[in-house]
């Protein structure tokens, strides 16, 4: 049986107004904030008012109109360093999410579509990764490979992909049993066409919700590693490392550890709001 192109349903246009209405106003702030923070991270070297690596004023100046976040122990502008620190934290976090999403979703799709022995083997591998303490495994991988941004990304990517594999596998298995998919298979729809038209549209919303809710977790994990000295070496302005190196100044020069930590908190809050908004807007998609 051949399906005529003119009998296929027309995909409705995406309605942004309805999306933001369902997400809620506070969560919509997070959704809009995600691309804004991404642009800031991409343009950080040009947005920063001073060179983050050079002394520009006296040391330990408190926040003021000239230096919004004050200066550090050398006299570098802390606001400029925090702006660059957003780049070192946010963009790698998005890279880890993208890598884990691609690898995990492909593994889950193969597992859900193939079934039988292939599904059993991939499912056991997923279970093995999921039962291990992820943070400890990531720390062990970075400690064995050595500190550095690339090694941190490798460690987090290794432990994060199974979550998306489980989501895509379970969604594929659920959708394969739905009447419209069974009807399409009886009508002769096979291979890539069945996957792209009938299965992926049901899997993508679940993956997007999971990825959006994971951004904050990735940021916290990366900040923890840099806080423990497993990120880029000094004087790279990683937010976690900046907080760690200046903790002894908390009672005297409070802005040095507090303001980078506050930016980490705001990034996580923004990501969580965006994740909640996307989940609310795509619920039932």
């Amino acid at each position: 049986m051949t399906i005529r192109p003119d009998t296929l349903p027309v995909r409705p246009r995406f309605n942004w107004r309805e999306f933001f209405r369902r997400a809620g106003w506070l969560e919509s702030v997070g959704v809009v904030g995600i691309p804004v923070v991404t642009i800031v991270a991409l343009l950080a070297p040009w947005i920063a008012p001073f060179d983050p690596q050079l002394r520009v004023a006296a040391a330990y100046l408190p926040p003021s109109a000239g230096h919004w976040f004050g200066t550090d122990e050398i006299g570098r502008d802390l606001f400029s360093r925090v702006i660059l620190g957003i780049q070192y934290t946010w963009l790698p976090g998005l890279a880890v999410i993208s890598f884990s999403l691609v690898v995990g979703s492909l593994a889950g799709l193969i597992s859900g579509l193939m079934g039988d022995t292939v599904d059993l083997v991939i499912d056991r591998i997923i279970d093995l990764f999921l039962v291990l303490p992820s943070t400890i495994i990531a720390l062990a991988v970075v400690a064995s490979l050595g500190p550095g941004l690339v090694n941190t990304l490798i460690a987090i990517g290794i432990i994060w992909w199974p979550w998306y594999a489980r989501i895509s596998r379970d969604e594929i298995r659920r959708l394969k049993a739905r009447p419209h998919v069974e009807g399409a298979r009886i009508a002769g729809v096979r291979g890539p066409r069945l996957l792209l038209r009938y299965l992926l549209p049901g899997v993508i919303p679940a993956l997007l919700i999971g990825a959006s809710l994971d951004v904050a977790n990735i940021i916290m994990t990366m900040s923890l590693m840099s806080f423990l000295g497993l990120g880029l070496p000094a004087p790279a302005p990683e937010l976690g490392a900046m907080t760690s190196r200046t903790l002894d100044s908390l009672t005297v020069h409070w802005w040095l550890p507090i303001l980078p930590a506050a930016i980490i908190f705001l990034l996580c809050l923004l990501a969580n709001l965006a994740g909640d908004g996307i989940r609310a807007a795509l619920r039932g998609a």
Side-chain angles (χ1 to χ4, degrees):
M1 178 179 178
T2 303
I3 300 177
R4 293 170 52 192
D6 56 353
T7 63
L8 296 174
V10 178
R11 182 172 298 177
R13 296 179 61 184
F14 189 81
N15 191 327
W16 283 104
R17 180 175 297 179
E18 179 65 16
F19 176 88
F20 286 117
R21 187 192 66 80
R22 298 180 63 181
W25 72 267
L26 186 59
E27 289 77 9
S28 296
V29 172
V31 174
V32 173
I34 292 294
V36 172
V37 173
T38 304
I39 292 173
V40 169
L42 289 171
L43 301 179
W46 297 275
I47 293 176
F50 299 96
D51 190 321
Q53 307 295 354
L54 296 180
R55 175 188 174 98
V56 296
Y60 297 120
L61 290 180
S64 63
H67 300 280
W68 292 354
F69 284 9
T71 59
D72 63 8
E73 68 279 5
I74 300 177
R76 296 171 296 194
D77 182 66
L78 187 60
F79 179 74
S80 300
R81 291 180 62 76
V82 165
I83 290 293
L84 195 59
I86 293 175
Q87 183 183 74
Y88 289 156
T89 301
W90 187 261
L91 296 184
L94 296 183
V96 170
I97 287 287
S98 301
F99 169 81
S100 302
L101 190 60
V102 171
V103 173
S105 59
L106 284 177
L109 289 174
I110 293 173
S111 178
L113 289 173
M114 299 294 292
D116 299 330
T117 304
V118 175
D119 180 40
L120 180 63
V121 171
I122 295 178
D123 188 43
R124 292 297 176 266
I125 294 174
I126 294 172
D127 288 338
L128 176 63
F129 275 92
L130 292 181
V131 299
L132 296 174
S134 57
T135 303
I136 296 177
I137 296 300
L139 292 174
V141 171
V142 175
S144 62
L145 295 178
L149 181 60
V150 175
N151 294 340
T152 300
L153 297 182
I154 293 174
I156 300 176
I158 288 174
I159 65 173
W160 226 272
W161 70 267
W163 299 100
Y164 302 112
R166 173 55 54 82
I167 292 173
S168 61
R169 173 187 177 272
D170 291 348
E171 288 296 310
I172 286 291
R173 289 169 61 88
R174 179 182 66 84
L175 291 170
K176 284 172 63 176
R178 297 290 295 272
H180 72 285
V181 177
E182 288 291 338
R185 297 177 66 177
I186 293 174
V189 181
R190 293 286 188 274
R193 188 175 185 182
L194 179 68
L195 176 64
L196 295 176
R197 180 170 292 275
Y198 293 95
L199 296 177
L200 273 185
V203 176
I204 289 176
L207 290 172
L208 286 178
I209 292 171
S212 62
L213 293 172
D214 268 349
V215 174
N217 295 327
I218 293 287
I219 292 174
M220 286 299 299
T221 303
M222 294 191 61
S223 299
L224 172 63
M225 289 188 173
S226 64
F227 183 88
L228 296 175
L230 297 176
L232 290 171
E238 282 189 326
L239 298 177
M242 291 166 63
T243 302
S244 174
R245 290 195 295 262
T246 56
L247 271 180
D248 55 351
S249 303
L250 179 61
T251 57
V252 182
H253 310 294
W254 59 267
W255 59 91
L256 294 180
I258 290 295
L259 294 179
I263 295 300
I264 295 174
F265 170 78
L266 290 176
L267 291 178
C268 292
L269 177 63
L270 190 70
N272 277 329
L273 289 175
D276 290 340
I278 293 174
R279 178 175 58 184
L282 296 182
R283 184 179 293 127

